[in-house]
Amino acid sequence: MNTGIRIQLSVMMFLEFFVWGAWFVTMGTYLGVNLKASGVETGLAYQTQSIGAILAPFIVGLIADRFFPAQRILGVLHLAGAGMMYLASTAGDFASFYPYILIYMILYMPTLALVNSISFRQMQNPEKEFPNVRVLGTIGWIVAGILIGRLNWEQEGILQNTFLMAAAASLALGIFSFTLPHTPPARSRDEKLTTRDILGLDALGLLKNRSFLTFFIGSVLICIPLSFYYNFTNPFLNEIGVERAAEKMSLGQASEVLFLLLLPWFFMRFGVKKMLLIGMGAWALRYVLFAFGDVDSGYWMLILGIVLHGICFDFFFVTGQIYTDNLAGEKFKSSAQGLITLATYGVGMFIGYLVSGYVVDAYVTGDGHDWRSIWLIPGGIALAIVLVFLVAFREPSKAILDNRL
């Protein structure tokens, strides 16, 4: 891969995640403060991510992989997405806001697979070249959070600007996409493709393995407490008086980069089971820190809870991807990853986003929310999952570890 293409792919990846980070982190605060939405309504808005994740394989599998070059579809989706982001910024209430964000997420979620596909098709050695490109995506998300914080949009109550910023970036990426390297369809339009192929259901046979079944169920369940973080951390931090909350939350993505770089060392030292347990345990610890933290003497608890995101995400989800990849083998590798993605970002978070909304509404007080009670609920759920996983999951053979690392 030459330098010119590397720069193109890096810009693409930066904008892809800048667009998402520009509005997703602060949407909960915007809905609660600006549109006076309830917790359940906020959960429904975030639930559109799961709907998009469930539909994305059909859009990519039935259209992008068969009929049109990936870079053109990426461009069209982002141009349409820019329009939806602009319209979302003009909505005066939740009822008019929801259709725009639903359509947007159905358009956006397929682009996550498209940017990966475009990247991989230009690389001679993806395992070495892709991480250097993908890290620009995380940097894009971090930059979006810093900008929101520095512009004081949270404090000034003008978070509708986040959707305008996302619309502008989406428009730029939509136009830029048509300049990306040509990426023709990976499949013939005459090739037979079934729902089973698209959703990765060929990998269901792996569930006969007790440990993989435990991991699969654990992955779905851990997404329930995980959803509380994405939905309500920003509203929580703003409500208790943390300044530039979106900027502070970008520390979570910074720690994600750090722990991703250190992951091979931890992996070989601890093995799959301990890594997964540490990841799930970090979710429980994070929520305890949020429950007892405050903007005074307990401020360090809030920051530590955010920084734990690197361990929460990398130790469970990235380790789980490696474990799945090697257990499945060459034949079912893609199907297995698709199945796990459907289970987590689709089913697990779909449930979690809704549950979190009901929990938050149950603890509304006269001057805000009883956040301690709220955070202890996902913390307790995460701890229960850890205990079950500790008993039911068996460490895979060393061959599975050595295969990838």
Side-chain angles (χ1 to χ4, degrees):
M1 182 173 62
N2 63 46
T3 302
I5 291 178
R6 181 181 293 109
I7 292 173
Q8 281 185 297
L9 297 180
S10 297
V11 171
M12 173 191 72
M13 202 66 75
F14 178 92
L15 289 173
E16 173 75 13
F17 286 88
F18 179 90
V19 168
W20 198 2
W23 63 274
F24 190 78
V25 173
T26 56
M27 181 172 67
T29 298
Y30 171 74
L31 290 175
V33 174
N34 296 63
L35 302 189
K36 309 302 179 186
S38 67
V40 171
E41 288 173 330
T42 299
L44 288 173
Y46 276 98
Q47 201 179 57
T48 59
Q49 175 193 333
S50 298
I51 296 172
I54 293 170
L55 296 178
F58 292 94
I59 296 173
V60 174
L62 294 177
I63 300 175
D65 280 350
R66 304 181 74 188
F67 295 103
F68 303 103
Q71 81 278 4
R72 293 181 188 172
I73 297 179
L74 181 68
V76 170
L77 291 176
H78 274 295
L79 289 174
M84 290 300 106
M85 281 285 99
Y86 172 76
L87 291 172
S89 75
T90 66
D93 54 38
F94 181 78
S96 56
F97 174 86
Y98 181 79
Y100 298 137
I101 209 67
L102 174 61
I103 295 170
Y104 178 78
M105 289 310 283
I106 292 173
L107 294 170
Y108 179 82
M109 291 307 288
T111 68
L112 295 172
L114 290 172
V115 295
N116 288 344
S117 177
I118 292 168
S119 298
F120 287 138
R121 297 280 291 278
Q122 309 306 319
M123 296 175 179
Q124 284 74 47
N125 191 342
E127 288 194 0
K128 290 185 177 180
E129 295 174 303
F130 183 71
N132 295 328
V133 171
R134 175 58 182 83
V135 73
L136 266 294
T138 303
I139 292 172
W141 186 290
I142 292 171
V143 170
I146 292 173
L147 278 176
I148 293 168
R150 294 295 174 177
L151 293 170
N152 290 316
W153 287 348
E154 292 161 291
Q155 283 69 39
E156 295 178 13
I158 50 175
L159 283 173
Q160 66 270 20
N161 288 349
T162 62
F163 298 97
L164 293 174
M165 181 168 69
S170 187
L171 177 64
L173 179 52
I175 296 170
F176 179 73
S177 295
F178 291 97
T179 72
L180 291 169
H182 182 59
T183 310
R187 300 171 182 265
S188 165
R189 65 180 61 194
D190 298 321
E191 182 178 346
K192 186 179 179 181
L193 198 63
T194 66
T195 301
R196 187 179 182 87
D197 297 326
I198 293 170
L199 297 180
L201 300 184
D202 284 334
L204 286 175
L206 293 174
L207 298 179
K208 296 176 182 178
N209 180 310
R210 194 189 78 171
S211 288
F212 185 78
L213 177 62
T214 302
F215 168 70
F216 180 83
I217 295 173
S219 297
V220 174
L221 295 179
I222 202 66
C223 283
I224 297 175
L226 183 154
S227 300
F228 281 75
Y229 178 80
Y230 291 127
N231 274 19
F232 294 109
T233 299
N234 190 258
F236 158 65
L237 294 175
N238 277 297
E239 188 173 299
I240 67 174
V242 174
E243 294 184 359
R244 301 198 299 269
E247 183 178 351
K248 302 296 190 302
M249 288 180 67
S250 68
L251 292 172
Q253 275 63 47
S255 75
E256 183 183 330
V257 174
L258 174 63
F259 282 103
L260 190 60
L261 294 173
L262 296 173
L263 195 68
W265 184 84
F266 284 114
F267 205 109
M268 297 307 297
R269 187 175 182 85
F270 295 123
V272 171
K273 183 173 183 176
K274 289 180 181 178
M275 290 281 287
L276 294 173
L277 285 170
I278 291 171
M280 290 187 289
W283 283 103
L285 175 59
R286 156 182 274 176
Y287 292 132
V288 171
L289 291 169
F290 282 174
F292 293 96
D294 55 53
V295 292
D296 297 315
S297 60
Y299 187 69
W300 66 272
M301 294 185 183
L302 302 178
I303 298 301
L304 180 57
I306 292 170
V307 172
L308 276 174
H309 185 73
I311 296 177
C312 292
F313 187 85
D314 292 338
F315 276 51
F316 187 82
F317 287 98
V318 179
T319 297
Q321 288 169 359
I322 295 171
Y323 165 63
T324 300
D325 201 52
N326 287 280
L327 185 67
E330 287 298 325
K331 184 177 181 181
F332 296 113
K333 187 175 292 188
S334 296
S335 296
Q337 294 293 356
L339 184 64
I340 291 296
T341 300
L342 177 67
T344 53
Y345 291 98
V347 178
M349 288 192 179
F350 185 91
I351 297 170
Y353 285 137
L354 192 60
V355 169
S356 62
Y358 280 107
V359 169
V360 168
D361 278 348
Y363 289 95
V364 174
T365 63
D367 57 350
H369 297 83
D370 177 5
W371 288 109
R372 178 169 295 180
S373 297
I374 290 170
W375 291 125
L376 288 176
I377 290 173
I381 295 172
L383 181 59
I385 296 169
V386 168
L387 295 176
V388 173
F389 196 87
L390 179 65
V391 175
F393 186 85
R394 294 177 182 173
E395 182 73 40
S397 67
K398 189 174 183 297
I400 289 179
L401 305 185
D402 294 340
N403 244 3
R404 184 66 177 264
L405 300 170

